[in-house]
Amino acid sequence: HSVAAQKQMKKQTQTEESRARRQVSIDAATSALIERFQTGNIADLVEQTLIERQPGDDQPSYRWSAGNQWLMLIQGTGDARSYNQWRAVGRQVRKGAHAIWIWAPQTRKIVNANAVSGGNDQNEDTDTDTDTNTDKSKSKSTSERYIIAGFRPLSMFRVEDTDGAELPIYEYEPPTAPPLAEVAGTLGLTVQYA
């Protein structure tokens, strides 16, 4: 074999190994999350995703779906970002760090030709008005909408696997008391934030 062919075979093997490691990581995190739901041991994850954040606390994962936030927490971190997101805040992912995985939605644009007078989502070439026998196809408009067509794995890196600028620390005490906090107080219970 030529040197180029050997390099190509090595690259293909590394890619297959990388895909296999990624799949093992995704499967493990997903299984751990499912197990927590099945055993009812999910409260701590739910609590962390429902806390109202302080102004200025703009950690990117706070905008993720609850499921992706839970996957991040199951994989051992409270802050995960893409490589470029870490660079943007002055931090560098350590060499050899392994990514954690979340599910990114795959969207697809759907274009519909709708009659201006409230037609349906079907794409029809012409629509004839039976009262006037006129072609209404010129009065159609096109609308666009996006649908989720599936999901793909997306790599993120844990804060624990980065070095660099210090990140701001925000208090987790929400600006407003949680529901039933007053009731807890009348019962002699203290509401604490961890």
Side-chain angles (χ1 to χ4, degrees):
H1 295 288
S2 70
V3 173
Q6 288 175 345
K7 285 183 180 181
Q8 181 63 28
M9 287 176 49
K10 182 178 179 182
K11 184 176 179 180
Q12 184 177 359
T13 302
Q14 289 173 338
T15 301
E16 290 171 2
E17 290 171 355
S18 176
R19 282 187 187 136
R21 279 194 311 271
R22 175 179 68 196
Q23 192 60 48
V24 166
S25 177
I26 290 169
D27 290 347
T30 304
S31 294
L33 186 57
I34 290 169
E35 181 182 329
R36 298 228 27 216
F37 270 104
Q38 290 173 336
T39 62
N41 187 16
I42 196 76
D44 62 326
L45 297 180
V46 173
E47 289 169 354
Q48 292 182 51
T49 58
L50 295 179
I51 292 174
E52 186 178 342
R53 303 300 172 183
Q54 298 294 326
D57 192 358
D58 59 353
Q59 182 177 314
S61 60
Y62 296 155
R63 293 183 296 276
W64 297 353
S65 69
N68 275 334
Q69 289 183 52
W70 297 339
L71 281 173
M72 173 187 70
L73 294 166
I74 285 281
Q75 293 176 85
T77 190
D79 190 357
R81 305 175 192 204
S82 70
Y83 181 83
N84 288 333
Q85 287 172 326
W86 283 122
R87 290 190 57 195
V89 294
R91 295 188 70 83
Q92 180 65 43
V93 176
R94 289 186 200 123
K95 184 176 182 174
H98 290 282
I100 66 168
W101 299 90
I102 62 171
W103 291 108
Q106 294 283 103
T107 58
R108 191 174 78 189
K109 183 171 29 173
I110 303 294
V111 179
N112 295 315
N114 297 323
V116 172
S117 60
N120 57 31
D121 282 349
Q122 296 175 356
N123 290 324
E124 299 177 7
D125 292 333
T126 60
D127 185 16
T128 304
D129 187 335
T130 54
D131 294 336
T132 61
N133 201 23
T134 58
D135 182 20
K136 292 179 10 180
S137 64
K138 291 179 178 53
S139 67
K140 290 196 178 231
S141 68
T142 302
S143 67
E144 299 176 353
R145 63 186 173 105
Y146 289 86
I147 63 166
I148 295 177
F151 294 87
R152 67 179 173 84
L154 185 64
S155 63
M156 295 288 158
F157 293 93
R158 303 171 340 130
V159 65
E160 294 84 358
D161 296 327
T162 65
D163 295 311
E166 290 296 317
L167 297 171
I169 298 174
Y170 294 92
E171 294 296 321
Y172 276 97
E173 187 168 326
T176 57
L180 304 177
E182 290 178 19
V183 174
T186 61
L187 296 173
L189 301 173
T190 304
V191 178
Q192 296 178 339
Y193 302 94

